[in-house]
Amino acid sequence: MNVQPRTANIAAGNRRLAWQLAAGALLMTGFGYLLVPLYQVFCEYTGFNGTTSRINHGQAATQGIDRTRWVTVEFAANTSVDLPWEFSPVVASVRVHPGEMVLAQYQARNLGNRAIVGQAVPSVTPGTAAAHFRKIECFCFSRQPLDPGQALTLPVQFQVDTDLPREIGTLTLSYTFFEQRGGRISSARPRLTKL
Amino acid sequence: MTELALPHPHDHTHPSGITRWLFTTNHKDIGTLYLLFSVSMLFIGGSFAMVVRAELFQPGLQFVSPHFFNQMATMHALVMIFGAVMPAFVGLANWMIPLMIGAPDMALPRLNNWSFWLLPFAFTLLLATLFMPGGAPSGGWTMYPPLVLQMGMAFPFLIFAVHLMGLSSVMGAINVITTVFNMRAPGMTYGKLPLFVWTWVITAFLLIAAMPVLAGAVTMLLTDKFFGTSFFNAAGGGDPVMFQHVFWFFGHPEVYIMILPAFGIVSQIVPTFARKPLFGYTSMIYAVASIAFLSFIVWAHHMFTVGMPLAGELFFMYSTVLIAVPTGVKVFNWVATMWRGSMTFETPMLWALCFIILFSIGGFSGLMLGLAPVDFQYQDTYFVVAHFHYVLVTGAVFAIIAGVYFWLPKWTGRMYDERLGKLHFWLSTISVNVLFFPQHFLGLAGMPRRIPDYAVQFSGWNMVSSLGAFAFGASQLIFLYIVVRAISGHGAKASAQVWEGAQGLEWTLSSPPPYHSFNEPPKVP
Ligand code: HEM
Ligand SMILES: [Cu+2]
């Protein structure tokens, strides 16, 4: 009430600038959200953060097999704290040639007394190897329902790229099972689901 | 200049009592409100820190449960950052920017009223969580999921409190930019703006760019918790590490939001008491601007240990270390300003000098942390705690205190007691180093941060640190006394000039300045 802009011009200019700045703030809120897809694309593209990629059979067949080289693939299994499942790899590790198609198996059993739907989330370490690790089939591509006491064998078919950097001799493929409550989660943002 | 002779149509409508403060649109009143709010948060946040240091006085669990300890550590950070430091700077901006640029008020006075009055609501929400089932937020001020999502009832209160604080500071920032762009007195060109104004304009742009990102991040947390999205939920294809990216994209600019206005204050004080113009005015502005720009591309130095690829580690390491260059320029310029000046050491100058030295120590530990390979050792230890308290307490807070001593006579028209001011300074400076310096040793020796108990080999320095904390906390009561005395009209009358070497429009007004100043634009020298 007590400000007396020297001219009405200034008051109008003030309002205009204020709105422009507010629009800037709004844009930055949008940018905050934009970071989410950017991050996902970035991770998928570079394999940063252990994000693995998915290919189909046709693409897989086009790769030759590098028989001069051995790579050890270790399997790790975890469950989130509130998931009463037993979950483990059938074998702890395998030795493979780059380019070779490999089938590995995990097993899971529901120790709880209710039916539970689980979703496995994969990751590969070291992070730089992730971009060279390709899954053709995986139990992590879909949700896994288990009745009380039920056990299940879970296959994963993969291929290590022939262009895996030379210095990497061992990779670890790790899965963590989470409970999928009401199926709401992946249906909320299917596009961003990492596979 | 005394009370302006020109009659003003609104001068007589000047409500008193509570409504004056509720409905005020006067920049001086709003500045005062911000500063009073800030000082009350300083003491509330400080009392949380006292609980933390009391518990850490000895190993073992003494006074509080681990859960309550975590609440105290988290709330201390939130209250100090969003309640004490940021509002203090906005308060100083409100008081000083119109006076410095010769404007009658802020450009958007009613928005100004709103941006202040959002804060008491925000902090009522936040502090109320202390009394809720499940307690206050306790997962750290950084609010990392999934831990933060396990919080009890406090969670939505925390999120809405953060929204309100963010809104308040963005509104404040809009007001500052609009004021400086449109309301300068004729002749007050950009090349003449005092550095405090310059640093604030740049800070305001940082606020507008960074705070909305925080709002977005916490909104994602909210929808993850209540509406079934899974931005950060691994089970649904999200990624908790992504939160850290979004958070620190805000978080690192935020730390500069808390230091750039401090640079501005010190750049006002040092020339005044060195009786020389600021050395390298233009380079100071470029330095601040480049720090502001760089602050957006260094965020992942808070995340060196999340498993980034080498290229990422290197990029963020180099960009982080690069910030040392403009920061060094600033320190150099302050020192060069004092070089061969006729210096006197009144209380504001003492705080400003101490700022320069101690902030530089914080900058050096920052450089150490910025080196990716060694940060693997320091991450999440007390070394980080020591670093950010040197830059925030002996940096931001010392600069605010320096500014208060510098401008208090202008605001109240009363000189504070110089002897008490110096006592406050020396007690604070000694105790703050006793408090935080040993935390470097603790961190290097491997003591983790955010824990209520620790291995016995850390006992010695923890005890020293706690003693320093109690002394530092107690010293601030002197500050309270000094400020209350000046406000209540005790002490020698201050002249308009106040300080012999003071330059600028604000010193041409009487102390205290009239309620409405510069209704007629001043002549800019
Ligand atoms: C030369 C300038 C600086 C450099 C190179 C620097 C570097 C760093 C690095 C690398 C970290 C992360 C440490 C870790 O978590 O392992 C850090 C943490 C931190 N820095 Fe700085 N810093 C600088 C200046 C500042 C300033 C000016 C402030 C604030 C005024 C500040 C506030 C903080 C805070 C609050 C944290 C801890 C955040 C948390 O984890 O809670 N820093 N700094
Ligand atoms: Cu940072």
Side-chain angles (χ1 to χ4, degrees):
Chain A
M1 79 186 102
N2 33 38
V3 68
Q4 179 81 338
R6 282 176 199 116
T7 63
N9 266 344
I10 294 187
N14 286 349
R15 266 197 304 277
R16 191 170 50 235
L17 181 55
W19 280 115
Q20 285 164 351
L21 293 168
L26 209 64
L27 275 178
M28 284 310 293
T29 315
F31 179 75
Y33 274 86
L34 191 67
L35 285 175
V36 176
L38 281 181
Y39 176 78
Q40 304 278 352
V41 168
F42 190 70
C43 288
E44 229 135 291
Y45 183 69
T46 58
F48 280 13
N49 216 19
T51 311
T52 57
S53 46
R54 178 185 187 173
I55 56 172
N56 60 34
H57 283 276
Q59 288 166 296
T62 58
Q63 285 226 346
I65 299 175
D66 181 358
R67 295 201 184 277
T68 62
R69 200 173 155 196
W70 285 103
V71 176
T72 305
V73 179
E74 301 173 337
F75 302 106
N78 304 287
T79 51
S80 77
V81 274
D82 53 349
L83 184 71
W85 283 16
E86 193 177 65
F87 173 52
S88 58
V90 173
V91 293
S93 68
V94 292
R95 298 225 306 149
V96 304
H97 293 300
E100 192 180 355
M101 195 96 79
V102 187
L103 183 70
Q105 284 176 331
Y106 279 73
Q107 51 202 0
R109 186 215 296 269
N110 185 350
L111 306 176
N113 48 17
R114 61 190 173 95
I116 295 176
V117 179
Q119 168 72 54
V121 175
S123 127
V124 168
T125 40
T128 38
H132 308 279
F133 188 91
R134 307 186 190 283
K135 291 195 286 305
I136 298 117
E137 290 294 345
C138 178
F139 58 92
C140 59
F141 293 169
S142 53
R143 291 177 225 157
Q144 304 294 336
L146 280 184
D147 287 328
Q150 190 192 350
L152 206 65
T153 303
L154 304 165
V156 48
Q157 191 176 30
F158 64 86
Q159 183 186 49
V160 178
D161 244 16
T162 42
D163 58 7
L164 179 77
R166 276 277 146 196
E167 67 275 14
I168 298 175
T170 304
L171 343 155
T172 307
L173 171 63
S174 158
Y175 287 99
T176 306
F177 252 111
F178 292 90
E179 175 166 4
Q180 189 87 64
R181 289 196 179 80
R184 62 177 195 203
I185 290 169
S186 54
S187 60
R189 288 171 57 246
R191 219 166 45 78
L192 295 178
T193 303
K194 263 189 325 197
L195 295 170
Chain B
M1 204 191 300
T2 47
E3 196 61 70
L4 279 162
L6 283 143
H8 189 275
H10 296 294
D11 272 355
H12 51 93
T13 63
H14 172 181
S16 51
I18 181 83
T19 48
R20 162 174 173 191
W21 299 105
L22 272 179
F23 302 123
T24 182
T25 54
N26 179 289
H27 73 102
K28 302 182 185 85
D29 282 353
I30 293 175
T32 304
L33 285 172
Y34 266 110
L35 290 169
L36 292 178
F37 180 80
S38 161
V39 80
S40 53
M41 287 299 140
L42 184 75
F43 280 92
I44 293 177
S47 64
F48 297 165
M50 293 299 117
V51 175
V52 167
R53 280 320 315 176
E55 182 57 52
L56 293 175
F57 187 69
Q58 281 184 348
L61 296 177
Q62 264 69 238
F63 303 107
V64 296
S65 70
H67 182 52
F68 190 69
F69 178 92
N70 291 341
Q71 294 174 38
M72 287 291 102
T74 303
M75 292 291 277
H76 164 70
L78 289 169
V79 167
M80 286 304 198
I81 293 171
F82 295 107
V85 174
M86 291 171 69
F89 284 132
V90 184
L92 295 174
N94 261 293
W95 250 106
M96 300 317 297
I97 289 179
L99 300 187
M100 286 176 160
I101 65 173
D105 203 311
M106 295 294 278
L108 308 152
R110 269 178 301 177
L111 188 76
N112 208 9
N113 174 290
W114 265 103
S115 33
F116 172 75
W117 281 106
L118 285 176
L119 285 179
F121 287 104
F123 281 84
T124 308
L125 288 180
L126 185 64
L127 292 171
T129 59
L130 281 165
F131 307 100
M132 284 176 190
S138 53
W141 79 280
T142 48
M143 301 180 278
Y144 283 2
L147 187 59
V148 73
L149 299 173
Q150 295 162 15
M151 197 191 305
M153 249 183 90
F155 179 76
F157 288 82
L158 168 67
I159 303 299
F160 288 128
V162 171
H163 279 149
L164 290 181
M165 298 164 197
L167 195 60
S168 159
S169 41
V170 168
M171 283 158 57
I174 290 177
N175 221 335
V176 167
I177 296 176
T178 313
T179 306
V180 177
F181 280 17
N182 290 358
M183 307 283 286
R184 281 166 292 122
M188 178 55 78
T189 56
Y190 287 107
K192 284 188 190 160
L193 286 183
L195 245 119
F196 179 68
V197 180
W198 258 115
T199 53
W200 237 114
V201 169
I202 294 169
T203 304
F205 278 107
L206 282 184
L207 278 167
I208 290 176
M211 292 309 287
V213 176
L214 174 68
V218 298
T219 309
M220 291 180 215
L221 288 176
L222 191 78
T223 55
D224 266 16
K225 171 112 172 167
F226 295 113
F227 302 107
T229 60
S230 46
F231 289 104
F232 311 124
N233 179 348
D239 186 345
V241 173
M242 188 180 67
F243 178 84
Q244 302 189 22
H245 283 288
V246 184
F247 180 85
W248 287 115
F249 186 85
F250 144 80
H252 190 83
E254 166 69 13
V255 307
Y256 281 95
I257 287 167
M258 293 190 284
I259 205 66
L260 296 187
F263 290 168
I265 296 172
V266 171
S267 305
Q268 299 298 131
I269 294 176
V270 169
T272 302
F273 295 97
R275 292 168 180 77
K276 270 178 64 194
L278 186 70
F279 184 90
Y281 172 87
T282 317
S283 67
M284 280 304 216
I285 297 166
Y286 280 114
V288 174
S290 45
I291 290 175
F293 169 76
L294 286 173
S295 75
F296 281 104
I297 56 163
V298 299
W299 76 88
H301 64 214
H302 296 273
M303 316 169 46
F304 280 139
T305 59
V306 296
M308 259 191 291
L310 191 62
E313 303 268 331
L314 287 176
F315 173 80
F316 288 109
M317 175 167 105
Y318 292 138
S319 58
T320 299
V321 173
L322 203 59
I323 295 197
V325 177
T327 311
V329 168
K330 302 199 69 79
V331 174
F332 176 83
N333 285 349
W334 290 320
V335 175
T337 305
M338 290 183 275
W339 178 252
R340 299 200 162 159
S342 31
M343 296 219 283
T344 51
F345 299 93
E346 286 87 343
T347 308
M349 183 63 164
L350 289 176
W351 288 94
L353 288 176
C354 211
F355 165 95
I356 297 174
I357 296 165
L358 297 180
F359 173 78
S360 299
I361 294 181
F364 283 133
S365 57
L367 277 178
M368 290 171 70
L369 292 165
L371 303 176
V374 290
D375 183 63
F376 275 67
Q377 180 192 339
Y378 308 147
Q379 165 93 74
D380 277 337
T381 67
Y382 257 82
F383 193 79
V384 178
V385 178
H387 159 66
F388 66 70
H389 282 94
Y390 266 88
V391 284
L392 282 172
V393 178
T394 60
V397 174
F398 268 36
I400 291 168
I401 295 177
V404 170
Y405 278 110
F406 188 49
W407 287 312
L408 192 65
K410 174 57 61 189
W411 301 332
T412 63
R414 298 285 169 172
M415 281 311 282
Y416 59 86
D417 182 340
E418 192 62 44
R419 271 197 0 264
L420 272 182
K422 291 212 163 97
L423 180 72
H424 174 218
F425 167 77
W426 284 110
L427 284 177
S428 299
T429 299
I430 294 168
S431 60
V432 86
N433 284 293
V434 176
L435 160 56
F436 292 122
F437 211 83
Q439 295 185 359
H440 290 115
F441 311 146
L442 289 169
L444 293 177
M447 178 170 162
R449 63 189 280 204
R450 293 173 171 159
I451 49 158
D453 186 8
Y454 48 84
V456 283
Q457 74 264 30
F458 302 128
S459 317
W461 286 123
N462 266 300
M463 194 175 282
V464 172
S465 179
S466 287
L467 289 173
F470 303 144
F472 184 69
S475 312
Q476 303 323 305
L477 298 173
I478 306 176
F479 183 49
L480 198 61
Y481 174 77
I482 292 173
V483 172
V484 168
R485 259 182 74 83
I487 292 177
S488 57
H490 295 275
K493 275 204 172 302
S495 66
Q497 175 69 15
V498 183
W499 310 108
E500 191 197 13
Q503 306 271 342
L505 291 177
E506 69 273 33
W507 309 106
T508 61
L509 293 170
S510 61
S511 306
Y515 194 63
H516 300 287
S517 41
F518 296 136
N519 282 322
E520 280 310 306
K523 263 187 83 68
V524 178

